[in-house]
Amino acid sequence: MLRPNAPSQGLDAIAGRLVRSAGAASVSQIWRVGVTFATHMALRRMIPPDEMGVWTWAEPLFLLLAQVRDLGLPGHVVRDRERPFGTFFAVELRWGGALTALVLVAAPLLALAYHDTDAGAVSVIRALCLFLFVQGLGQVPMVFFESEIEVQRTIPAELARNTLFAILSLSLAMAGFGVWSLIWAHIAAGALYAAMLWWAVRGRLPLDRRAP
């Protein structure tokens, strides 16, 4: 028999999880924005302006491509009671892989669209394709923790990602790698983030599939 205060205890538990998750999300955002801002400010003083010019259009391009890759699924999966994480993973793996391959092939046309015909710009786009794919795979466990109201479990991965990005990009920039300091740092940090999230979610993430 349920005690009279059982429902309120359940609500209290949910409220506690919401507070912890929201607090973790806020800490994560503050940390990410602060570290990223400080690192980019330093890198702009270390990387020649002509090389940074490639990054000024490559970065927003891949932010847009990430939205195309996800197809709006993260928000849907969080709200869906059937928890279609297997379908979401398949989309990120297959559609994300196909989109990555398409961008890889179309890199010269994308560079031309930005009036940048330099061979280095094409190489930048092709290298960032790896980041696009790896980042997509990391979305699956991230959305799982969001749907479970357990964003605090992503904090170690977030701290590690931004720390690695800052240290690696600044080190490579000081060594004279130019804009590639940003690219390799983003790829390495994104791969670490995805790996840590998958490790954190091991044994909990249901990957059974259903028709979308």
Side-chain angles (χ1 to χ4, degrees):
M1 182 176 178
L2 292 175
R3 291 173 298 178
N5 62 342
S8 64
Q9 287 179 340
L11 289 175
D12 288 343
I14 293 174
R17 290 170 61 192
L18 283 170
V19 169
R20 289 191 295 272
S21 185
S26 298
V27 170
S28 177
Q29 285 279 59
I30 293 170
W31 167 264
R32 182 175 61 185
V33 171
V35 171
T36 302
F37 179 77
T39 302
H40 276 78
M41 288 289 289
L43 289 171
R44 285 187 176 274
R45 296 174 180 271
M46 302 167 68
I47 299 175
D50 57 328
E51 291 193 42
M52 282 301 297
V54 176
W55 183 252
T56 57
W57 60 258
E59 183 181 27
L61 170 64
F62 276 84
L63 289 174
L64 175 62
L65 288 172
Q67 298 299 315
V68 176
R69 179 202 63 211
D70 293 341
L71 298 175
L73 284 177
H76 173 74
V77 172
V78 168
R79 295 188 297 269
D80 197 322
R81 293 184 178 181
E82 295 187 34
R83 302 169 63 80
F85 290 105
T87 302
F88 184 31
F89 177 65
V91 168
E92 291 290 359
L93 192 64
R94 296 179 182 181
W95 163 238
L99 179 63
T100 298
L102 179 62
V103 175
L104 194 70
V105 173
L109 294 177
L110 288 171
L112 184 61
Y114 281 90
H115 300 284
D116 197 331
T117 56
D118 184 73
V122 175
S123 298
V124 166
I125 293 174
R126 286 176 171 165
L128 284 172
C129 285
L130 180 58
F131 171 72
L132 179 69
F133 181 69
V134 169
Q135 185 192 45
L137 295 182
Q139 279 284 85
V140 182
M142 179 66 214
V143 171
F144 173 80
F145 285 124
E146 288 179 348
S147 66
E148 290 291 303
I149 323 178
E150 295 181 2
V151 175
Q152 67 273 14
R153 295 185 180 273
T154 69
I155 291 293
E158 187 68 55
L159 296 177
R161 173 174 67 172
N162 287 283
T163 300
L164 177 61
F165 171 74
I167 293 174
L168 185 57
S169 62
L170 292 172
S171 298
L172 290 174
M174 285 188 287
F177 282 85
V179 72
W180 286 95
S181 307
L182 280 161
I183 295 162
W184 293 126
H186 269 293
I187 293 172
L192 176 64
Y193 182 69
M196 289 185 68
L197 287 180
W198 277 103
W199 178 258
V201 84
R202 66 192 185 283
R204 296 186 59 197
L205 181 60
L207 290 178
D208 52 305
R209 294 187 56 193
R210 68 173 176 83

